Amino acid sequence: MSNYNLLAENSYIKMVYDIQGNLQDGSQVVVSVIFENKCESFLKSMEFNVLDSLNSKLQRPEGSGPHDGLVVPFQLPPGVSNEARYVFTVQSIVMPQKLKGTLTFIVKNEESSTHEKLDFKLHFTCTSYLITTPCYSDAFAKLLESGDLKSSSIRLESINMPFHHLLARICFHHHFSVVERIDSCASMYSRSIQGHHVCLLVKSSGQIVSIDAKCDEPTLLGNVLDEIKQTFSQC
């Protein structure tokens, strides 16, 4: 399993990306992008740019304008991959969003150099704002009893996998940790970069899985549950 998703590709280059929250800063996420040269030519002078929204902004060096791209700090010989990281500041994390971007680059071989570009959409899911955080069962129970959390639930059907595989998928793709598991029932926990608690009670019966969830931010919770549903609809 990989958390890297396809960002864009053409005959010259392929980009995949992963988004990680920053525990130290509730207003930041780090986007890791792997650039892979798919062609027989040299790729150089790459520049990565994303259009800012009101909610999310690409961090640029001091003195840069809001529309300036960032120079990718390497060149790519044929068949080579390399990774670069970009920091984004975000305000609200309760809704997913897509930001438009462009990679410009020069394709250089012995005969010529051509300027190329590749457009993409960077998808910030609500899951990308969650951070895997361990939680002890007594602390989990206190959270549920506090009365501060709002409830929601989903039902997954036609799930043909062992229960521990299902839990592993939720942990891996959605940044949860298992608090406690008894047979085909498990409690799970995650926390957002802005400190929201997300609690799940996952129960499996045959091919049907029910997820009862609680969170102090109902919009965030609804979107995370939609994203979990999406993960299992692709199985």
Side-chain angles (χ1 to χ4, degrees):
M1 291 196 293
S2 167
N3 261 345
Y4 280 86
N5 294 305
L6 181 66
L7 185 56
E9 70 177 318
N10 58 19
S11 58
Y12 300 112
I13 192 164
K14 177 180 180 180
M15 296 188 288
V16 295
Y17 74 106
D18 178 40
I19 303 175
Q20 295 285 335
N22 184 344
L23 260 178
Q24 277 71 47
D25 190 330
S27 65
Q28 279 189 359
V29 291
V30 177
V31 178
S32 301
V33 182
I34 296 174
F35 301 85
E36 178 192 345
N37 184 346
K38 293 171 60 182
C39 67
E40 298 300 314
S41 303
F42 218 92
L43 302 184
K44 53 182 276 189
S45 304
M46 294 188 285
E47 200 169 276
F48 181 88
N49 200 1
V50 175
L51 290 174
D52 292 343
S53 70
L54 288 171
N55 190 58
S56 302
K57 292 178 172 53
L58 173 61
Q59 268 196 9
R60 295 172 169 86
E62 230 175 285
S64 302
H67 306 297
D68 291 351
L70 296 181
V71 173
V72 178
F74 46 78
Q75 300 181 349
L76 288 178
V80 170
S81 300
N82 208 339
E83 183 169 16
R85 293 181 168 204
Y86 301 97
V87 177
F88 286 78
T89 54
V90 290
Q91 292 176 22
S92 169
I93 62 167
V94 302
M95 298 284 285
Q97 60 170 338
K98 289 183 180 175
L99 299 183
K100 288 181 179 175
T102 304
L103 179 77
T104 56
F105 54 97
I106 292 173
V107 180
K108 183 169 174 44
N109 55 33
E110 287 173 9
E111 291 86 47
S112 64
S113 294
T114 56
H115 287 263
E116 299 289 342
K117 72 169 194 153
L118 178 59
D119 295 326
F120 58 84
K121 280 186 181 166
L122 192 54
H123 188 196
F124 290 88
T125 60
C126 285
T127 288
S128 59
Y129 304 126
L130 298 183
I131 291 179
T132 306
T133 312
C135 181
Y136 295 109
S137 51
D138 52 349
F140 188 83
K142 277 182 186 159
L143 266 178
L144 296 184
E145 290 161 9
S146 68
D148 300 333
L149 308 183
K150 313 286 186 293
S151 301
S152 188
S153 60
I154 55 168
R155 183 179 153 108
L156 309 173
E157 297 184 358
S158 306
I159 301 296
N160 294 309
M161 66 175 71
F163 191 58
H164 64 279
H165 284 187
L166 174 105
L167 298 181
R169 255 172 209 268
I170 296 174
C171 289
F172 184 79
H173 290 296
H174 299 281
H175 310 160
F176 279 82
S177 61
V178 175
V179 178
E180 196 171 12
R181 178 189 167 183
I182 299 166
D183 301 326
S184 54
C185 181
S187 48
M188 307 182 79
Y189 176 79
S190 186
R191 211 186 78 172
S192 82
I193 59 172
Q194 294 180 357
H196 305 109
H197 303 287
V198 189
C199 305
L200 306 181
L201 187 62
V202 184
K203 292 178 187 169
S204 174
S205 175
Q207 293 188 345
I208 293 170
V209 174
S210 64
I211 301 178
D212 294 317
K214 289 192 171 186
C215 177
D216 36 7
E217 175 35 78
T219 309
L220 175 69
L221 180 61
N223 285 312
V224 168
L225 290 178
D226 284 347
E227 289 163 16
I228 290 174
K229 216 172 188 175
Q230 182 71 24
T231 294
F232 288 98
S233 71
Q234 294 164 350
C235 287

